Amino acid sequence: MIHSPYIRKPASVQRVMGLVLLALVPGITAYALKVSAGILVNLALASLTAVAAEALMLALRKRPIAIAVTDLSAIVTAWLVALCFPPIVPWWLTMLAVLVAIIVAKHLYGGLGQNPFNPAMVAYCSMIVAYPALMSQWPAAGSLSFDTQLGLILGGARDLDGMTGATALDALRTGLRSGASSVEAVLQGSAFGFFGGRGWEWVSLGYLGGGLLLLATRIITWHMPAAFIAALSLISGTFWLFDPTRFASPLFHLASGGAMLAAFFIVTDPVSGATTPRGKLIFAAGIALIAWLIRSFGAYPEGIAFGVLLMNICVPLIDKKTQPRVFGHRRRDEGGWR
Amino acid sequence: MIGRLFKFHGGIKPDAHKHESASVAIERAPLPSRLVVPLRQSTRASARCIVEVGQKVLKGQRIGEPEGMLGTAVHAPTSGTVIDFGRYTMAHASGLETRCVVIEPDGEERWVEHAAFDAERAGRDASLAWLRDCGLVGLGGATFPSHVKLGKGSGVDTLILNGAECEPWITCDDRLMRERADGILAGARILFRLIGARELVIGIEDNKPEAIAAMRAAAQRVDDPVRIQPVPSLYPAGGEKQLIRVLTGIEIPYGKLSADYAVQCFNVGTAYAVYRAIAHGEPVLSRIVTLTGNVARPGNWEVLIGTPIDELLPLAQPKADTNRYLMGGPMMGFALPRLDVPIVKGSNCIIASSPTLLPPPPPEQPCIRCGECARACPAELQPFELYWHSRARNFGKAQEYKLFDCIECGCCAYVCPSHIPLVDYFRFAKSEIWARERDNTAADQARERFEFRNYRQEREKEEKAAKLAAKAAETRAKLATDTTAVKAEASTATAEDPKKALIAAALARAQAQKASTEVRNTEDLSAETKADIAEIEARRKALNLTAAPPPALAPKAGDPRPDEAPAVEAEGSPQS
Ligand code: SF4
Ligand code: SF4
């Protein structure tokens, strides 16, 4: 028997995930046009792998396949994996990463809604640890023809010297390490556009636009993007003002790497993130802090993924400590709360 | 106090579907072939039958005497003959039965003698008794006895009349306000005096401009200051707690009564019934019922209490593809398991439903922790946390996350993109916790009785031992005085005897204690306790309370609706 309520809002997981995909389109368009068209190949490859892996796992776990595959959640994961990988990684690396994301990070933990870690970030971190070289070959924006990119993806000879440039973050790190006089000197280099890496500023703008769409459609709330951007700006700004020769500017940090992708699409993953309003602020600010630390002092060029995983661990604690006040109760700790 | 409004968290804006039934005037439903009048109008208000089968009764004649603190009287809704007295199924999600008086109308509608009641002269206590004897209960849905709600006559500053009617489809209060505004206001002023309030506010959702206009016009005609306050249309603005919050900013926590916060809230229909009871001496014999949904002639009817629903439905001409009927609104109502059940004082609406009008929900998917439910929850809970813990039968945790603050409004389930029947899980968890608590209470009581008996036996044994010891000492003393030869020996014996008596007493005590600890084992319950437990079980079964989990928890789900909610629970029901 069916019980009340007998009416439902026309909402579905499919609609939520579909809107997330739609919101990624502006960023992807800018990516394909300004940086590397190879990303489209990777996106397709990742999507196919994800759907196949999802169907396989559902079959193994004896769950209804059709409804779970059509909820589009696997494709969202696939796209996020592809978008944070270099666009010219070999095909098997993309596939392997997606398999890790779907099989290990998602289904071994119990499937949609059960995973404590962000699957795309699990994939990113395991691949950067396992294949650090492949994972840091970013082509300079627009430097490679589509054919060359396709060749690289499909396993052509990887003689990349001279073809790939370092990312802005990489250049910054190596530049500073190798004794360049200051951040500014490094930023004169060819890898950089107006701000952040050349060409990437457009991608970042695309992600920002998509993120605003998600805010407008109430798929995400303002808390996480705002806290992430504010925290990243605040901490990088403080150190930049303190010593601009050693630390990059907030604008640089925001437009580099996947900062915008992270702010609106990765940090905001509902399943593995904090859920209370205050918890969301803490969660996103924590990621920004860890990302900045790793970018500035750590061994990897990009720290957001590690920040996400580390903060994922803290989610139960954050949620528990930030439970909102219940109607009629003066404080959340009134009666029973500790 | 001028119109500052407050907001409550969350809420939803479902399609109102009010116009279907709100555009036609209230009609009087024809006399049915029989009236099944329940003596128990709610879990709280019950009455004792005072008529016999075969007896002729007049319209308005008392047929049930109020029982207990919360009881209210029950009356014959029309003149006729009592043809049966027995258990009949009620309009209830799980087909609860209750004792009913069945009356066959004679069609003459002959009234019992009745006259207006002079509340001013009679005084407060007599007025409350009058309302009780007129069968006055809350007509918004919760059917809480009005004379109890009117309290002690002090300490309430603000009297709120609830005309919000936030549930979709329901328009009985809307029509009542449009057509009988003066009567509602007169009733409100009676309540206002009885409760000793300083301020009278009538809250009406702003999607009912005609009702607001009618009430405003009526307010012009009286001297007392009355605030007719439109409130934003946002479900569940008509929930008692939400309406109080919107109008006064005061939040009534779970388990507290609004009177403790100096506000009290009555439904507009109740106010009208109070007016009829005082100004005309008429008990509650009928109520306005909305018939709507998949019908050709939606509208509102004035229906006698006890009218079988299947005799009422043809008035609205249900369409052919109607597959079930809902009692109450689509947010908090329930599907009627059968239609030969009577309209009672709390029945406000019947919605004919078809698979196209109210389609079954899409299949349940996993929770993605999107937080939509938390953003919609007017109780400011985290429904998905409650869901995780209820599903895992981790009821302690669910309570820690304030499960019982949930008013079961359904907002969370309405917005959930994964189509999880969240409220089913909460009802299930609540009924499980109640069942456990009931068992515990029963066990506690049994244990208490048991311990008391042990204590008594122990005390008796001690007394016996002491008596015996005293007797022994006496005899010895006697012997000692008699026999001079054993004088020396005897003197030591008398010295030892009290000691021996003490030891005996202590031994007896220890034995009694040992006995009591041994039999405290549940295996060895007394027949009395066993009977108690069996009775509780039987009652629970009868009420269908044997926890029936939501579909995900048990494939053959029964009915997880908690039938006998604690008194405070149903009071905030936003059905009004
Ligand atoms: S709305 Fe549904 S899916 Fe979203 S958090 Fe609540 S229960 Fe989970
Ligand atoms: S049913 Fe309970 S948990 Fe759900 S929105 Fe209403 S009060 Fe909140």
Side-chain angles (χ1 to χ4, degrees), chain B residues 174-323:
Chain B
D174 183 6
R175 280 314 315 186
L176 194 74
M177 287 188 284
R178 292 195 209 184
E179 297 179 29
R180 306 180 191 174
D182 291 310
I184 293 172
L185 215 55
R189 291 167 70 207
I190 296 166
L191 289 169
F192 183 72
R193 304 241 153 75
L194 286 177
I195 209 163
R198 283 204 289 261
E199 189 195 15
L200 174 59
V201 191
I202 304 183
I204 307 169
E205 267 196 353
D206 57 13
N207 60 5
K208 290 182 262 298
E210 296 90 346
I212 295 171
M215 292 301 294
R216 284 213 165 119
Q220 295 287 309
R221 296 190 279 270
V222 300
D223 313 326
D224 295 342
V226 183
R227 187 173 130 206
I228 310 291
Q229 181 62 60
V231 299
S233 301
L234 180 69
Y235 177 88
E240 189 170 290
K241 292 178 182 198
Q242 278 64 45
L243 188 65
I244 290 174
R245 160 92 192 143
V246 168
L247 293 175
T248 66
I250 297 168
E251 292 186 2
I252 318 289
Y254 166 72
K256 294 275 167 44
L257 297 173
S258 55
D260 299 340
Y261 293 79
V263 274
Q264 194 55 285
C265 187
F266 286 89
N267 170 263
V268 287
T270 314
Y272 182 74
V274 165
Y275 155 73
R276 297 303 298 184
I278 300 282
H280 299 271
E282 290 174 13
V284 182
L285 304 182
S286 64
R287 66 155 300 133
I288 314 296
V289 179
T290 307
L291 302 182
T292 185
N294 194 39
V295 295
R297 261 192 85 221
N300 285 281
W301 279 265
E302 178 150 17
V303 183
L304 294 181
I305 305 302
T307 303
I309 288 173
D310 49 7
E311 290 198 36
L312 192 62
L313 289 171
L315 296 177
Q317 297 165 12
K319 293 181 192 162
D321 60 338
T322 300
N323 62 342

Side-chain angles (χ1 to χ4, degrees), chain B residues 204-532:
Chain B
I204 307 169
E205 267 196 353
D206 57 13
N207 60 5
K208 290 182 262 298
E210 296 90 346
I212 295 171
M215 292 301 294
R216 284 213 165 119
Q220 295 287 309
R221 296 190 279 270
V222 300
D223 313 326
D224 295 342
V226 183
R227 187 173 130 206
I228 310 291
Q229 181 62 60
V231 299
S233 301
L234 180 69
Y235 177 88
E240 189 170 290
K241 292 178 182 198
Q242 278 64 45
L243 188 65
I244 290 174
R245 160 92 192 143
V246 168
L247 293 175
T248 66
I250 297 168
E251 292 186 2
I252 318 289
Y254 166 72
K256 294 275 167 44
L257 297 173
S258 55
D260 299 340
Y261 293 79
V263 274
Q264 194 55 285
C265 187
F266 286 89
N267 170 263
V268 287
T270 314
Y272 182 74
V274 165
Y275 155 73
R276 297 303 298 184
I278 300 282
H280 299 271
E282 290 174 13
V284 182
L285 304 182
S286 64
R287 66 155 300 133
I288 314 296
V289 179
T290 307
L291 302 182
T292 185
N294 194 39
V295 295
R297 261 192 85 221
N300 285 281
W301 279 265
E302 178 150 17
V303 183
L304 294 181
I305 305 302
T307 303
I309 288 173
D310 49 7
E311 290 198 36
L312 192 62
L313 289 171
L315 296 177
Q317 297 165 12
K319 293 181 192 162
D321 60 338
T322 300
N323 62 342
R324 60 183 166 164
Y325 294 90
L326 304 187
M327 169 73 94
M331 293 303 296
M332 292 188 73
F334 58 92
L336 285 165
R338 48 199 281 186
L339 297 175
D340 57 346
V341 293
I343 290 289
V344 294
K345 290 177 183 171
S347 318
N348 49 11
C349 178
I350 299 171
I351 305 175
S353 151
S354 74
T356 40
L357 189 67
L358 301 176
E364 184 177 342
Q365 280 174 275
C367 169
I368 53 170
R369 289 168 42 100
C370 64
E372 268 300 309
C373 49
R375 285 196 284 283
C377 177
E380 295 167 60
L381 298 166
Q382 305 281 302
F384 58 93
E385 300 276 11
L386 293 174
Y387 158 71
W388 286 117
H389 296 309
S390 304
R391 197 187 149 106
R393 293 169 187 258
N394 201 341
F395 299 128
K397 267 271 185 265
Q399 269 176 288
E400 210 175 290
Y401 279 90
K402 304 271 189 288
L403 173 67
F404 283 96
D405 285 68
C406 166
I407 56 170
E408 297 179 21
C409 64
C411 291
C412 51
Y414 176 81
V415 299
C416 176
S418 289
H419 315 297
I420 301 171
L422 291 159
V423 194
D424 284 7
Y425 284 96
F426 306 156
R427 289 186 194 120
F428 163 71
K430 285 182 186 176
S431 67
E432 278 293 278
I433 294 168
W434 281 326
R436 282 179 196 191
E437 237 151 62
R438 235 175 297 228
D439 291 352
N440 280 346
T441 323
D444 280 350
Q445 278 168 359
R447 195 169 55 232
E448 254 167 51
R449 262 203 305 275
F450 204 82
E451 278 166 0
F452 178 72
R453 203 175 49 229
N454 282 331
Y455 162 76
R456 207 179 51 212
Q457 283 169 350
E458 182 190 334
R459 202 184 53 202
E460 280 165 5
K461 261 186 210 158
E462 264 179 62
E463 280 167 5
K464 231 187 214 162
K467 254 186 221 157
L468 273 176
K471 218 175 180 179
E474 219 175 81
T475 334
R476 296 232 175 177
K478 213 173 150 199
L479 276 175
T481 44
D482 287 354
T483 323
T484 44
V486 287
K487 212 178 205 170
E489 212 184 318
S491 72
T492 50
T494 41
E496 266 169 23
D497 264 348
K499 237 189 249 170
K500 270 195 188 148
L502 275 179
I503 289 167
L507 269 178
R509 221 173 16 241
Q511 237 156 26
Q513 221 157 38
K514 201 175 156 217
S516 80
T517 44
E518 267 169 9
V519 287
R520 212 174 282 174
N521 191 327
T522 43
E523 240 80 274
D524 211 13
L525 294 174
S526 71
E528 198 184 350
T529 318
K530 273 185 190 152
D532 273 358

Side-chain angles (χ1 to χ4, degrees), chain A residues 21 43-59 64-79 94-95 98-99 101-103 106-107:
Chain A
L21 295 178
L43 284 171
L45 196 60
S47 306
L48 288 176
T49 315
V51 170
E54 178 92 3
L56 175 75
M57 289 312 288
L58 289 164
I65 296 180
I67 185 168
V69 169
T70 51
D71 72 14
L72 303 180
S73 64
I75 298 188
V76 169
T77 305
W79 284 23
T94 306
M95 286 180 72
V98 171
L99 290 178
I102 300 287
I103 295 178
K106 184 176 177 184
H107 279 285

Side-chain angles (χ1 to χ4, degrees), chain A residues 2-64:
Chain A
I2 303 159
H3 301 282
S4 65
Y6 294 91
I7 47 176
R8 305 272 173 161
K9 195 173 160 178
S12 64
V13 177
Q14 191 181 37
R15 181 176 167 273
V16 172
M17 298 296 168
L19 271 166
V20 172
L21 295 178
L22 184 68
L24 281 168
V25 169
I28 291 173
T29 312
Y31 199 141
L33 292 177
K34 293 279 178 185
V35 180
S36 160
I39 187 65
L40 298 176
V41 181
N42 280 354
L43 284 171
L45 196 60
S47 306
L48 288 176
T49 315
V51 170
E54 178 92 3
L56 175 75
M57 289 312 288
L58 289 164
L60 286 177
R61 295 176 57 218
K62 300 197 174 32
R63 297 294 161 94

